[in-house]
Amino acid sequence: MRINENYRNIQDSYLFSTVGKKVAAYAASHPDARIIRLGIGDVTRPLCPAVIDALHRAVSEMGTPEGFHGYIPSEQGYPFLREAVAGHYAERGVTLSPEEIFISDGAKSDLGNLLDLFDADNTVLIPDPVYPAYVDANVMAGRRVRYVDATPDNGFLPLPDADLDADLVYICSPNNPTGAVYDHAGLAAWVDYALRRGALLLFDAAYEAFVSDPALPRTIYEVEGARSCAIEICSLSKTAGFTGTRCGYTIVPRELKFGGMSLNAMWLRRQSTKFNGVPYIVQRAAEAVFTPEGWSQCMESIDYYRENARIIAGTLDELGIFYTGGIHSPYIWLRCPGGLDSWAFFDLLLEKANVVGTPGAGFGVNGEGFFRLTAFGQRESTREAMQRFADLARTL
């Protein structure tokens, strides 16, 4: 029996697992330390009332013979939820057919599973720094991975070069980890590149709900031509606090055809074989997110996190520390104080201030010397964490 040798080419531990282990070891040896976590992107606000009500109703339905639901009629998801997602896009002027919408258990799963549709010989282009799952999923499959530099010089928003050679391109906007957001012209440049090269864009829109400027695109399909070259993946994890409830969706337009085959039909076939769908009660909860009441309640939590981001950014402004993000994103990407490298600052911040962030080096070569903080904490904890941060930074 032969194993997949590509697993030798990835780190032994996923970035956030490494961070978790280091924090756990520190906590075990310092039991009195009050550690504040602004590292991993988990939310802290509870599910909104509209979602909870929908969950309760769905659970009650499942306890009756007439309301019981077994296997989902379609691996794409229930029509009621796909229609709700289509309505959400319609508010941005984007028309989608429910048949182009696939309900999933989250963006991370689909971003990896979509690779089933493409030959391992394809070249993948990924920005650096980047969410590490993009890289690992492709290295596990043995694909060639090339990088495009995201740096302070381009605002961490790289644009395509005519000489770039790629078949699959990952784009995340608002970006994880840098918090940078493409404008319409920036996304249009990538769409034009993909159309010219016959490449496919995998657009991660997991943080679209944080975009407050109506002039900024929240979906790739606001760009003309994107339906012919882009798959969009989104999640309710940050939008509605579904990190533990698990629900997202992927858009595969019917126009997407490569090698004479429809990616929409291929993805449906793949899901029919390897996925049994998201639970009925979770899909009913997700449907409630897209009601006027549910959306308003979810935006209250988004505004709460935006205020946390403002507090973090305000502290960095006072200290004169360079950063991006924090306006249309829950992430703040900062240059490490005192010229420290990423992991050295991680250790110092944990040991001296009992605050946890994420070292930028874990997101790629261009992340060295940078650090990510998240706005997903509780308000008073965020204020205290930034006071501790400031006290430490002033000593460096």
Side-chain angles (χ1 to χ4, degrees):
M1 192 274 289
R2 297 178 60 187
I3 63 167
N4 182 350
E5 295 287 343
N6 295 307
Y7 275 71
R8 300 185 189 279
N9 301 322
I10 59 174
Q11 297 290 328
D12 290 339
S13 178
Y14 187 54
L15 169 62
F16 300 108
S17 297
T18 301
V19 169
K21 290 174 183 177
K22 288 174 79 72
V23 174
Y26 179 84
S29 60
H30 298 79
D32 295 329
R34 198 170 76 80
I35 298 172
I36 301 176
R37 291 171 170 81
L38 300 182
I40 195 165
D42 200 358
V43 297
T44 55
R45 300 272 288 175
L47 296 171
C48 72
V51 167
I52 293 298
D53 289 345
L55 279 169
H56 286 168
R57 288 193 300 270
V59 168
S60 295
E61 284 182 62
M62 292 290 282
T64 66
E66 56 276 5
F68 175 77
H69 291 76
Y71 285 124
I72 296 171
S74 168
E75 288 77 8
Q76 280 186 266
Y78 283 98
F80 62 77
L81 180 52
R82 288 186 282 135
E83 289 166 5
V85 173
H88 178 64
Y89 277 77
E91 293 176 2
R92 298 293 297 179
V94 174
T95 300
L96 294 176
S97 162
E99 286 69 37
E100 296 175 312
I101 299 166
F102 297 78
I103 306 303
S104 74
D105 60 359
K108 185 177 181 180
S109 299
D110 278 4
L111 282 162
N113 292 335
L114 279 162
L115 298 175
D116 282 2
L117 306 188
F118 310 109
D119 191 276
D121 196 42
N122 285 305
T123 297
V124 181
L125 185 67
I126 298 177
D128 179 341
V130 70
Y131 179 48
Y134 301 167
V135 177
D136 289 354
N138 281 283
V139 173
M140 288 173 182
R143 287 187 178 85
R144 295 183 300 276
V145 177
R146 298 187 62 187
Y147 297 94
V148 56
D149 290 329
T151 68
D153 291 339
N154 57 28
F156 293 99
L157 295 168
L159 295 175
D161 186 301
D163 296 331
L164 286 174
D165 177 19
D167 303 299
L168 297 170
V169 181
Y170 283 78
I171 299 175
C172 179
S173 180
N175 186 262
N176 178 14
T178 69
V181 186
Y182 277 105
D183 60 14
H184 192 278
L187 289 186
W190 281 108
V191 168
D192 290 344
Y193 168 84
L195 292 173
R196 286 197 313 271
R197 283 202 53 86
L200 178 74
L201 305 178
L202 294 175
F203 185 76
D204 186 350
Y207 308 99
E208 59 93 9
F210 284 85
V211 177
S212 56
D213 185 346
L216 292 173
R218 287 171 53 178
T219 166
I220 191 74
Y221 302 122
E222 292 180 49
V223 177
E224 185 176 356
R227 288 180 58 91
S228 298
C229 66
I231 291 176
E232 181 162 303
I233 304 95
C234 198
S235 166
L236 297 183
S237 288
K238 307 312 191 303
T239 299
F242 274 48
T243 51
T245 311
R246 308 309 307 148
C247 193
Y249 50 88
T250 291
I251 313 299
V252 187
R254 287 173 167 169
E255 289 91 329
L256 289 175
K257 295 182 179 179
F258 291 83
M261 296 185 70
S262 163
L263 294 192
N264 182 283
M266 290 174 66
W267 184 239
L268 176 59
R269 185 67 179 84
R270 188 267 176 204
Q271 294 296 81
S272 299
T273 301
K274 296 187 176 183
F275 185 57
N276 265 341
V278 176
Y280 172 75
I281 60 174
V282 172
Q283 293 198 48
R284 280 298 186 191
E287 178 191 28
V289 170
F290 298 106
T291 64
E293 179 185 25
W295 191 257
S296 176
Q297 292 170 357
C298 289
M299 289 306 100
E300 290 177 11
S301 289
I302 295 291
D303 286 341
Y304 182 94
Y305 296 134
R306 284 184 180 132
E307 176 62 15
N308 283 351
R310 189 195 66 76
I311 291 168
I312 296 171
T315 301
L316 299 178
D317 286 335
E318 292 175 9
L319 294 168
I321 294 175
F322 170 85
Y323 68 93
T324 59
I327 300 176
H328 303 293
S329 166
Y331 299 117
I332 296 88
W333 179 253
L334 61 111
R335 182 173 281 122
C336 294
L340 294 173
D341 67 48
S342 298
W343 281 105
F345 184 64
F346 171 89
D347 291 336
L348 188 68
L349 188 64
L350 176 60
E351 293 167 5
K352 300 297 185 182
N354 294 165
V355 173
V356 179
T358 309
F363 296 99
V365 173
N366 290 329
E368 181 55 85
F370 289 88
F371 203 75
R372 192 193 76 171
L373 295 175
T374 81
F376 291 123
Q378 295 291 337
R379 179 64 41 77
E380 290 311 310
S381 293
T382 299
R383 291 187 189 278
E384 182 175 348
M386 294 316 296
Q387 182 59 59
R388 296 183 194 176
F389 181 103
D391 291 343
L392 174 63
R394 291 189 179 103
T395 69
L396 300 177

